[in-house]
Amino acid sequence: MTASTTRRTTGLRSRTAAVGAIAVAGALLLTSCGDQTKNKDNGSDSTKANSAPLAGKLPASIRDKGVINVGSDIAYAPVEYKDESGKVVGIDLDVAAAMGEQLGVEFEFQNATFDTLIGGLAAKRYDIAMSAMTDTKDRQEGIDSDTGKKVGAGVDFVDYFTAGVSLYTNKGDDQGIKTWDDLCGKTIAVQRNTFSHDLAKEQATKCKKDKKDELKIEDFATNPEAETRMRSKGADVVSADYPVAAYSVKTSGGGKYFEIVGDQVEAGPYGIAVAKENTELRDALQAAVQAIIDNGEYEKIIKKWGVEDGAVTEAKINGGS
């Protein structure tokens, strides 16, 4: 889910990579905190930690417990979602599992709504947030993009993927939409507090300034809810990150429900969010991402999910703008 920001560029970038629908194994645990997924254990915690090449980079508290708690909105296929058997799977799960092999720990994913993840980090409910969250300056600095006011300490990001934003409609009913400027007079459904939500608000302002018909915005807690609204004809179009839009187009109704319209815009990095004070954990995560890039595991994961166009070659810290 791309991050909230006031940035809007005019450049468009088109990508053609199809998104695969391959499920990966994960064990789903139900707890009072919500859904949790603990990546596959390949041995005792002590043996794994002792043999892991980057275990020494972790804070002692995390190394000792052998677990990194991850806040995530598990309703964003193919990045993280539940497969037909109820297991939590996706790109982020695979990347985290590969990182865990480097660090000697398990990544446990806990389900939460997207707009509560950074607050959860501040409240120490999670060690990190990993949920298709775009790294931007506003999030780094704790700025509310709507008001421009500082609302928190901000977070640091370890970047691991790149994605833009797409528009999609009911199949065979594109409403004449090719660009964001075609949205005036339409109704758009988006997930709340995402970059798509911000782009919709900016476009609504632009429609008004240009004295065109109003762009109506309906926001929802999850992207599937936005899609359901469009399917019921309550909205004309949905916006989401390109991998998510492409996956929905490929899989929903066996590929019969939706179609992407126009080109992808606003490509930016996905980042693993870490509280500002947790610099040791941040640096350990950066080392782990870079290690799986260098050893080829990252490339295997990206190819498996058919999202090669979003691959990165360097695990940057706070590389977003």
Side-chain angles (χ1 to χ4, degrees):
M1 286 139 247
T2 31
S4 296
T5 175
T6 56
R7 177 175 58 93
R8 179 77 184 270
T9 64
T10 56
L12 303 179
R13 292 183 61 187
S14 176
R15 297 185 183 177
T16 58
V19 177
I22 305 173
V24 296
L28 182 64
L29 304 177
L30 297 179
T31 74
S32 60
C33 296
D35 298 327
Q36 289 188 331
T37 293
K38 187 171 184 178
N39 289 319
K40 186 177 179 181
D41 189 1
N42 293 318
S44 70
D45 290 343
S46 60
T47 300
K48 187 172 182 178
N50 290 336
S51 62
L54 299 177
K57 289 184 173 292
L58 283 169
S61 59
I62 288 180
R63 188 168 63 249
D64 290 346
K65 71 179 180 178
V67 171
I68 293 176
N69 292 314
V70 186
S72 188
D73 183 354
I74 305 173
Y76 214 56
V79 188
E80 50 264 319
Y81 68 105
K82 292 181 183 179
D83 68 12
E84 293 179 354
S85 69
K87 294 177 181 178
V88 181
V89 299
I91 298 168
D92 280 358
L93 276 292
D94 281 0
V95 169
M99 292 170 63
E101 292 299 318
Q102 295 295 315
L103 295 167
V105 295
E106 305 288 346
F107 284 71
E108 289 188 358
F109 280 70
Q110 302 182 11
N111 196 17
T113 56
F114 183 71
D115 56 1
T116 66
L117 293 179
I118 288 182
L121 278 179
K124 302 187 185 303
R125 288 196 295 272
Y126 322 116
D127 299 310
I128 65 174
M130 189 174 184
S131 192
M133 185 181 291
T134 296
D135 170 7
T136 68
K137 292 294 184 184
D138 279 353
R139 279 217 169 107
Q140 293 169 23
E141 298 171 2
I143 302 297
D144 184 312
S145 61
D146 285 337
T147 65
K149 295 181 179 179
K150 190 169 179 64
V151 293
V155 295
D156 284 336
F157 287 99
V158 177
D159 299 340
Y160 66 100
F161 191 71
T162 300
V165 174
S166 292
L167 297 169
Y168 55 114
T169 65
N170 288 318
K171 196 162 188 175
D173 188 22
D174 66 12
Q175 304 283 316
I177 298 169
K178 299 298 181 186
T179 71
W180 282 78
D181 285 336
D182 296 325
L183 297 182
C184 300
K186 311 294 185 186
T187 299
I188 187 170
V190 295
Q191 184 171 6
R192 193 173 301 127
N193 290 344
T194 60
F195 190 22
S196 290
H197 193 185
D198 279 350
L199 290 180
K201 287 185 282 189
E202 289 180 21
Q203 186 60 48
T205 299
K206 188 174 185 296
C207 291
K208 185 176 181 179
K209 181 179 178 181
D210 293 344
K211 297 182 179 180
K212 295 182 178 179
D213 291 337
E214 177 186 2
L215 168 60
K216 297 180 181 178
I217 302 169
E218 296 196 5
D219 58 272
F220 299 87
T222 68
N223 197 65
E225 290 177 278
E227 292 179 349
T228 298
R229 181 62 169 164
M230 182 170 67
R231 281 275 297 152
S232 67
K233 306 293 186 180
D236 301 305
V237 61
V238 168
S239 175
D241 292 359
Y242 172 75
V244 176
Y247 183 86
S248 288
V249 167
K250 182 180 178 67
T251 62
S252 297
K256 297 179 180 179
Y257 285 174
F258 306 129
E259 63 180 282
I260 288 179
V261 293
D263 289 327
Q264 178 181 187
V265 301
E266 294 283 1
Y270 282 176
I272 302 168
V274 188
K276 285 285 188 184
E277 66 269 20
N278 289 344
T279 56
E280 190 176 6
L281 175 57
R282 179 201 67 193
D283 293 347
L285 295 171
Q286 181 195 30
V289 175
Q290 193 61 53
I292 66 172
I293 291 172
D294 294 341
N295 71 14
E297 286 301 310
Y298 176 83
E299 183 180 9
K300 291 177 184 177
I301 294 166
I302 296 303
K303 284 185 175 180
K304 170 184 175 179
W305 291 96
V307 290
E308 293 93 330
D309 282 356
V312 298
T313 59
E314 181 182 359
K316 295 181 180 180
I317 291 176
N318 296 333
S321 59

